[in-house]
Amino acid sequence: MTPPLRLAHTADLEASELRAVRALLDAAFDGDLSDEDWEHGLGGLHALVHDEAGLAAHGAVVMRRLRHRGRWLRTGYVEAVAVRADVRRTGLGGRVTAELERVIGRAYDLGALSASEDGALLYEARGWQRWPGQVHALSPDGIVRLPDEEGGVYLRPGLAGPLDPAGELVFDWRDGDVT
């Protein structure tokens, strides 16, 4: 039987559920998840899959602002996607991502995420497109270029349609990793 998927806002998750999500992320990212990374995945919608052993998969979509060609776009930003080690490569990551994509397609101008090399394979297979252009952030000191992020940002067209790669992306600022 396929484990059920639940979609819930951060405000609707119990403290024990949030602890389980953090533990899953810490394990999946080998302890390389900072407190800022954790906070980036809060305040939006969470897709969770539980099985008989507990939380098997998780992903979140949070609202961010992204400027392109002088227009600020409401962006569904994917965060905190992880699958428990013993159930990886069983389709749970795809199920979680599909639910986040459904939300993005109906509620946001576009979707965006920053992917690791391993994660990029999943997103590319699902139609996410690597952003070939420049990436910037609106910092407390003004707009700054983020060359280290270029090549790792992926977009999914939403209500805004495709973006022009000749134009830069400017993300809103947040503590820790900006993208």
Side-chain angles (χ1 to χ4, degrees):
M1 184 170 122
T2 304
L5 185 142
R6 175 177 167 225
L7 187 67
H9 192 276
T10 301
D12 296 323
L13 297 178
E14 299 294 330
S16 61
E17 290 177 293
L18 289 170
R19 284 191 299 273
V21 170
R22 178 69 193 250
L24 174 69
L25 294 170
D26 283 337
F29 292 100
D30 296 323
D32 192 28
L33 185 86
S34 70
D35 289 340
E36 288 92 356
D37 293 332
W38 167 245
E39 288 179 16
H40 295 167
L42 301 176
L45 291 173
H46 300 259
L48 307 108
V49 177
H50 287 86
D51 62 11
E52 60 281 345
L55 182 61
H58 172 272
V61 62
V62 297
M63 211 234 8
R64 296 198 56 198
R65 293 291 206 188
L66 184 148
R67 191 183 78 183
H68 179 70
R69 296 261 184 220
R71 181 175 167 217
W72 285 99
L73 302 168
R74 197 177 59 255
T75 304
Y77 202 86
V78 173
E79 291 282 2
V81 176
V83 177
R84 202 175 62 228
D86 64 316
V87 291
R88 288 190 185 135
R89 307 281 185 258
T90 63
L92 294 181
R95 285 185 61 211
V96 164
T97 303
E99 184 64 10
L100 300 177
E101 291 166 352
R102 183 189 71 79
V103 170
I104 289 166
R106 298 189 58 168
Y108 293 98
D109 293 324
L110 76 152
L113 58 85
S114 180
S116 65
E117 283 185 40
D118 291 337
L121 298 174
L122 168 69
Y123 302 117
E124 287 173 351
R126 299 191 56 80
W128 288 76
Q129 299 165 356
R130 186 179 65 79
W131 178 252
Q134 291 185 6
V135 176
H136 296 76
L138 180 59
S139 80
D141 297 322
I143 294 176
V144 295
R145 186 166 178 196
L146 305 172
D148 292 344
E149 301 299 329
E150 293 171 1
V153 173
Y154 287 78
L155 301 180
R156 183 174 184 88
L159 301 173
L163 303 185
D164 177 5
E168 65 188 19
L169 298 182
V170 180
F171 284 92
D172 56 356
W173 187 256
R174 59 187 188 174
D175 291 332
D177 297 332
V178 177
T179 61

Short mmCIF file of all heavy atoms in Angstrom, two decimals, residues 10-52:
data_model
loop_
_atom_site.label_atom_id
_atom_site.label_comp_id
_atom_site.label_asym_id
_atom_site.label_seq_id
_atom_site.Cartn_x
_atom_site.Cartn_y
_atom_site.Cartn_z
N THR A 10 2.94 25.12 8.25
CA THR A 10 3.79 25.05 9.44
C THR A 10 2.95 25.24 10.71
O THR A 10 3.15 24.54 11.70
CB THR A 10 4.89 26.13 9.39
OG1 THR A 10 5.69 25.94 8.21
CG2 THR A 10 5.79 26.06 10.61
N ALA A 11 2.00 26.17 10.68
CA ALA A 11 1.18 26.46 11.86
C ALA A 11 0.34 25.26 12.29
O ALA A 11 -0.08 25.20 13.45
CB ALA A 11 0.27 27.65 11.58
N ASP A 12 0.11 24.31 11.38
CA ASP A 12 -0.72 23.15 11.70
C ASP A 12 0.08 21.92 12.11
O ASP A 12 -0.50 20.87 12.39
CB ASP A 12 -1.61 22.81 10.50
CG ASP A 12 -2.60 23.92 10.21
OD1 ASP A 12 -3.11 24.53 11.17
OD2 ASP A 12 -2.85 24.19 9.02
N LEU A 13 1.39 22.04 12.13
CA LEU A 13 2.23 20.92 12.54
C LEU A 13 2.48 20.96 14.04
O LEU A 13 2.77 22.03 14.60
CB LEU A 13 3.57 20.95 11.80
CG LEU A 13 3.49 20.80 10.28
CD1 LEU A 13 4.89 20.91 9.67
CD2 LEU A 13 2.82 19.49 9.89
N GLU A 14 2.38 19.82 14.66
CA GLU A 14 2.67 19.70 16.09
C GLU A 14 4.18 19.82 16.30
O GLU A 14 4.97 19.56 15.39
CB GLU A 14 2.18 18.35 16.62
CG GLU A 14 0.68 18.13 16.49
CD GLU A 14 -0.13 19.08 17.36
OE1 GLU A 14 0.38 19.49 18.44
OE2 GLU A 14 -1.25 19.42 16.97
N ALA A 15 4.58 20.17 17.50
CA ALA A 15 6.00 20.29 17.82
C ALA A 15 6.73 18.97 17.54
O ALA A 15 7.86 18.97 17.04
CB ALA A 15 6.19 20.71 19.28
N SER A 16 6.08 17.85 17.84
CA SER A 16 6.71 16.54 17.59
C SER A 16 6.92 16.30 16.09
O SER A 16 7.91 15.70 15.68
CB SER A 16 5.87 15.41 18.19
OG SER A 16 4.58 15.39 17.60
N GLU A 17 5.99 16.79 15.26
CA GLU A 17 6.15 16.65 13.81
C GLU A 17 7.32 17.50 13.31
O GLU A 17 8.09 17.06 12.45
CB GLU A 17 4.86 17.05 13.09
CG GLU A 17 3.71 16.08 13.30
CD GLU A 17 2.45 16.56 12.62
OE1 GLU A 17 1.89 17.60 13.05
OE2 GLU A 17 2.02 15.89 11.66
N LEU A 18 7.43 18.71 13.83
CA LEU A 18 8.54 19.57 13.44
C LEU A 18 9.88 18.96 13.86
O LEU A 18 10.86 19.03 13.12
CB LEU A 18 8.37 20.97 14.01
CG LEU A 18 7.25 21.80 13.38
CD1 LEU A 18 7.00 23.07 14.18
CD2 LEU A 18 7.58 22.13 11.93
N ARG A 19 9.91 18.35 15.05
CA ARG A 19 11.15 17.68 15.48
C ARG A 19 11.48 16.51 14.55
O ARG A 19 12.65 16.29 14.20
CB ARG A 19 11.02 17.19 16.93
CG ARG A 19 11.14 18.32 17.95
CD ARG A 19 11.29 17.78 19.37
NE ARG A 19 10.16 16.99 19.80
CZ ARG A 19 9.05 17.48 20.37
NH1 ARG A 19 8.95 18.79 20.58
NH2 ARG A 19 8.08 16.67 20.74
N ALA A 20 10.47 15.78 14.11
CA ALA A 20 10.70 14.66 13.19
C ALA A 20 11.21 15.16 11.84
O ALA A 20 12.10 14.54 11.24
CB ALA A 20 9.41 13.85 13.01
N VAL A 21 10.68 16.27 11.35
CA VAL A 21 11.15 16.85 10.09
C VAL A 21 12.61 17.27 10.25
O VAL A 21 13.45 16.95 9.40
CB VAL A 21 10.27 18.04 9.65
CG1 VAL A 21 10.90 18.79 8.48
CG2 VAL A 21 8.86 17.58 9.29
N ARG A 22 12.92 17.96 11.33
CA ARG A 22 14.31 18.41 11.54
C ARG A 22 15.24 17.21 11.62
O ARG A 22 16.34 17.22 11.04
CB ARG A 22 14.40 19.28 12.81
CG ARG A 22 15.82 19.75 13.16
CD ARG A 22 16.32 20.76 12.13
NE ARG A 22 17.74 21.02 12.25
CZ ARG A 22 18.28 22.16 12.68
NH1 ARG A 22 17.50 23.16 13.07
NH2 ARG A 22 19.57 22.31 12.72
N ALA A 23 14.84 16.15 12.30
CA ALA A 23 15.68 14.95 12.41
C ALA A 23 15.89 14.31 11.03
O ALA A 23 17.01 13.88 10.70
CB ALA A 23 15.06 13.95 13.38
N LEU A 24 14.84 14.24 10.23
CA LEU A 24 14.96 13.69 8.87
C LEU A 24 15.95 14.52 8.05
O LEU A 24 16.82 13.98 7.36
CB LEU A 24 13.60 13.65 8.19
CG LEU A 24 13.60 13.24 6.71
CD1 LEU A 24 13.97 11.77 6.57
CD2 LEU A 24 12.24 13.51 6.08
N LEU A 25 15.83 15.84 8.12
CA LEU A 25 16.71 16.72 7.36
C LEU A 25 18.16 16.62 7.85
O LEU A 25 19.09 16.58 7.04
CB LEU A 25 16.21 18.16 7.44
CG LEU A 25 14.87 18.43 6.77
CD1 LEU A 25 14.38 19.83 7.12
CD2 LEU A 25 14.96 18.26 5.27
N ASP A 26 18.35 16.56 9.16
CA ASP A 26 19.70 16.42 9.70
C ASP A 26 20.34 15.14 9.19
O ASP A 26 21.51 15.13 8.80
CB ASP A 26 19.69 16.46 11.22
CG ASP A 26 19.52 17.85 11.79
OD1 ASP A 26 19.85 18.83 11.09
OD2 ASP A 26 19.06 17.97 12.95
N ALA A 27 19.59 14.04 9.18
CA ALA A 27 20.12 12.76 8.70
C ALA A 27 20.39 12.82 7.20
O ALA A 27 21.44 12.38 6.73
CB ALA A 27 19.15 11.63 9.03
N ALA A 28 19.45 13.36 6.45
CA ALA A 28 19.59 13.40 4.98
C ALA A 28 20.75 14.28 4.53
O ALA A 28 21.39 13.99 3.52
CB ALA A 28 18.28 13.88 4.35
N PHE A 29 21.01 15.35 5.27
CA PHE A 29 22.08 16.28 4.90
C PHE A 29 23.33 16.06 5.75
O PHE A 29 24.18 16.94 5.86
CB PHE A 29 21.58 17.73 4.99
CG PHE A 29 20.55 18.05 3.96
CD1 PHE A 29 19.19 18.07 4.27
CD2 PHE A 29 20.92 18.31 2.64
CE1 PHE A 29 18.23 18.34 3.30
CE2 PHE A 29 19.97 18.58 1.67
CZ PHE A 29 18.62 18.60 2.00
N ASP A 30 23.44 14.88 6.34
CA ASP A 30 24.64 14.49 7.11
C ASP A 30 25.04 15.54 8.14
O ASP A 30 26.22 15.84 8.30
CB ASP A 30 25.82 14.20 6.18
CG ASP A 30 25.56 13.01 5.26
OD1 ASP A 30 24.93 12.03 5.72
OD2 ASP A 30 25.97 13.08 4.10
N GLY A 31 24.06 16.12 8.82
CA GLY A 31 24.34 17.10 9.86
C GLY A 31 24.75 18.46 9.34
O GLY A 31 25.14 19.33 10.12
N ASP A 32 24.65 18.68 8.02
CA ASP A 32 25.07 19.95 7.42
C ASP A 32 23.89 20.88 7.18
O ASP A 32 23.85 21.60 6.20
CB ASP A 32 25.82 19.68 6.11
CG ASP A 32 26.53 20.92 5.59
OD1 ASP A 32 26.90 21.78 6.41
OD2 ASP A 32 26.70 21.02 4.36
N LEU A 33 22.91 20.84 8.06
CA LEU A 33 21.74 21.71 7.96
C LEU A 33 21.83 22.74 9.09
O LEU A 33 21.69 22.40 10.26
CB LEU A 33 20.44 20.90 8.09
CG LEU A 33 19.18 21.69 7.89
CD1 LEU A 33 18.85 21.77 6.41
CD2 LEU A 33 18.01 21.08 8.65
N SER A 34 22.07 23.99 8.73
CA SER A 34 22.21 25.05 9.74
C SER A 34 20.84 25.44 10.28
O SER A 34 19.80 25.11 9.70
CB SER A 34 22.90 26.27 9.14
OG SER A 34 22.02 26.90 8.20
N ASP A 35 20.84 26.18 11.36
CA ASP A 35 19.58 26.70 11.90
C ASP A 35 18.91 27.62 10.89
O ASP A 35 17.68 27.64 10.78
CB ASP A 35 19.82 27.44 13.22
CG ASP A 35 20.17 26.49 14.36
OD1 ASP A 35 19.88 25.28 14.26
OD2 ASP A 35 20.75 26.96 15.36
N GLU A 36 19.70 28.41 10.14
CA GLU A 36 19.12 29.26 9.10
C GLU A 36 18.48 28.44 7.99
O GLU A 36 17.39 28.74 7.53
CB GLU A 36 20.18 30.21 8.49
CG GLU A 36 20.61 31.31 9.41
CD GLU A 36 21.85 30.93 10.23
OE1 GLU A 36 22.32 29.76 10.13
OE2 GLU A 36 22.33 31.78 10.99
N ASP A 37 19.15 27.34 7.58
CA ASP A 37 18.56 26.44 6.58
C ASP A 37 17.22 25.91 7.07
O ASP A 37 16.25 25.84 6.31
CB ASP A 37 19.48 25.26 6.27
CG ASP A 37 20.76 25.67 5.58
OD1 ASP A 37 20.77 26.69 4.86
OD2 ASP A 37 21.77 24.94 5.75
N TRP A 38 17.16 25.52 8.32
CA TRP A 38 15.94 25.00 8.91
C TRP A 38 14.83 26.06 8.86
O TRP A 38 13.72 25.79 8.44
CB TRP A 38 16.20 24.55 10.35
CG TRP A 38 14.99 24.29 11.17
CD1 TRP A 38 14.61 24.99 12.28
CD2 TRP A 38 14.00 23.28 10.97
NE1 TRP A 38 13.44 24.47 12.78
CE2 TRP A 38 13.05 23.42 12.00
CE3 TRP A 38 13.82 22.28 10.03
CZ2 TRP A 38 11.92 22.59 12.11
CZ3 TRP A 38 12.70 21.46 10.14
CH2 TRP A 38 11.77 21.62 11.17
N GLU A 39 15.16 27.26 9.26
CA GLU A 39 14.17 28.34 9.28
C GLU A 39 13.66 28.67 7.88
O GLU A 39 12.51 29.07 7.72
CB GLU A 39 14.76 29.59 9.94
CG GLU A 39 14.92 29.43 11.44
CD GLU A 39 15.52 30.65 12.11
OE1 GLU A 39 15.54 31.73 11.48
OE2 GLU A 39 15.97 30.51 13.26
N HIS A 40 14.49 28.50 6.86
CA HIS A 40 14.06 28.79 5.49
C HIS A 40 12.90 27.91 5.06
O HIS A 40 12.11 28.29 4.19
CB HIS A 40 15.22 28.60 4.51
CG HIS A 40 16.33 29.57 4.71
ND1 HIS A 40 17.55 29.41 4.10
CD2 HIS A 40 16.43 30.70 5.45
CE1 HIS A 40 18.35 30.39 4.46
NE2 HIS A 40 17.69 31.20 5.27
N GLY A 41 12.78 26.72 5.64
CA GLY A 41 11.70 25.81 5.27
C GLY A 41 10.43 25.98 6.09
O GLY A 41 9.47 25.23 5.91
N LEU A 42 10.40 26.96 6.97
CA LEU A 42 9.22 27.17 7.83
C LEU A 42 8.37 28.32 7.30
O LEU A 42 8.86 29.19 6.60
CB LEU A 42 9.67 27.46 9.26
CG LEU A 42 10.51 26.36 9.92
CD1 LEU A 42 10.97 26.82 11.31
CD2 LEU A 42 9.76 25.05 9.99
N GLY A 43 7.09 28.29 7.66
CA GLY A 43 6.20 29.39 7.30
C GLY A 43 5.42 29.16 6.03
O GLY A 43 4.71 30.05 5.56
N GLY A 44 5.53 27.98 5.46
CA GLY A 44 4.81 27.66 4.22
C GLY A 44 4.09 26.34 4.35
O GLY A 44 3.70 25.93 5.44
N LEU A 45 3.92 25.69 3.22
CA LEU A 45 3.24 24.40 3.18
C LEU A 45 4.25 23.26 3.16
O LEU A 45 5.26 23.33 2.45
CB LEU A 45 2.33 24.31 1.95
CG LEU A 45 1.11 25.22 1.97
CD1 LEU A 45 0.39 25.17 0.63
CD2 LEU A 45 0.17 24.82 3.10
N HIS A 46 3.94 22.21 3.90
CA HIS A 46 4.79 21.03 3.99
C HIS A 46 4.06 19.84 3.40
O HIS A 46 2.88 19.62 3.70
CB HIS A 46 5.11 20.71 5.46
CG HIS A 46 5.80 21.83 6.17
ND1 HIS A 46 7.15 21.84 6.40
CD2 HIS A 46 5.32 22.99 6.70
CE1 HIS A 46 7.48 22.94 7.04
NE2 HIS A 46 6.38 23.66 7.24
N ALA A 47 4.77 19.08 2.57
CA ALA A 47 4.27 17.80 2.08
C ALA A 47 5.00 16.72 2.87
O ALA A 47 6.24 16.67 2.87
CB ALA A 47 4.54 17.65 0.59
N LEU A 48 4.24 15.88 3.56
CA LEU A 48 4.83 14.87 4.44
C LEU A 48 4.28 13.49 4.08
O LEU A 48 3.08 13.35 3.83
CB LEU A 48 4.48 15.16 5.90
CG LEU A 48 4.82 16.55 6.41
CD1 LEU A 48 3.56 17.37 6.61
CD2 LEU A 48 5.59 16.45 7.70
N VAL A 49 5.15 12.51 4.06
CA VAL A 49 4.74 11.12 3.86
C VAL A 49 5.22 10.33 5.06
O VAL A 49 6.41 10.32 5.38
CB VAL A 49 5.34 10.53 2.56
CG1 VAL A 49 4.95 9.07 2.42
CG2 VAL A 49 4.90 11.33 1.34
N HIS A 50 4.27 9.68 5.73
CA HIS A 50 4.59 8.81 6.86
C HIS A 50 4.35 7.36 6.45
O HIS A 50 3.41 7.08 5.71
CB HIS A 50 3.69 9.14 8.06
CG HIS A 50 4.04 10.42 8.74
ND1 HIS A 50 3.54 11.64 8.33
CD2 HIS A 50 4.85 10.68 9.79
CE1 HIS A 50 4.02 12.60 9.11
NE2 HIS A 50 4.82 12.04 10.00
N ASP A 51 5.19 6.48 6.96
CA ASP A 51 4.95 5.05 6.79
C ASP A 51 4.99 4.41 8.17
O ASP A 51 5.01 5.13 9.19
CB ASP A 51 5.95 4.42 5.81
CG ASP A 51 7.40 4.51 6.27
OD1 ASP A 51 7.66 4.86 7.45
OD2 ASP A 51 8.28 4.22 5.45
N GLU A 52 5.02 3.09 8.22
CA GLU A 52 4.98 2.40 9.52
C GLU A 52 6.18 2.72 10.39
O GLU A 52 6.11 2.59 11.61
CB GLU A 52 4.83 0.89 9.32
CG GLU A 52 5.97 0.24 8.54
CD GLU A 52 5.88 0.42 7.03
OE1 GLU A 52 4.82 0.80 6.50
OE2 GLU A 52 6.90 0.22 6.37
#
